[in-house]
Amino acid sequence: MNKESLIFLAASLAVTVAVSAVGFSLAALPRPTVEAVKTPAAPESLPDIDIGGGFGKVSVIELVGFYIENPPAPKGAGGDAAPAVKRFGGC
């Protein structure tokens, strides 16, 4: 390798590291926001959720209680619905 190639390689690497450092500092969240995200919120402090479909607003505690009492069916259990028939989807 000649001297110009090594200088170009070193300069390109230095510019890349500098641009990455500046870009990260501009894109990173502030430290208080990161610390606030790490702490979980109490369910009582969360606002009610509008689930639509005529059900209106429901509290998070009621949603979690309903999920615990009525867990989703395991995958492949089927239930009352017939399994989907795979058909050839030609033209």
Side-chain angles (χ1 to χ4, degrees):
M1 288 184 124
N2 57 12
K3 187 176 180 180
E4 292 85 17
S5 296
L6 290 175
I7 292 173
F8 175 75
L9 178 67
S12 297
L13 187 60
V15 169
T16 302
V17 169
V19 168
S20 297
V22 170
F24 179 78
S25 66
L26 293 174
L29 290 173
R31 176 75 54 197
T33 304
V34 173
E35 294 300 324
V37 168
K38 289 182 179 179
T39 57
E44 296 85 13
S45 66
L46 297 174
D48 291 346
I49 299 171
D50 186 10
I51 56 176
F55 292 105
K57 291 189 174 195
V58 180
S59 70
V60 174
I61 293 178
E62 289 179 15
L63 285 175
V64 171
F66 181 80
Y67 181 80
I68 290 172
E69 293 172 4
N70 306 300
K75 191 171 189 176
D80 296 338
V85 178
K86 292 197 175 203
R87 298 186 183 129
F88 175 72
C91 297

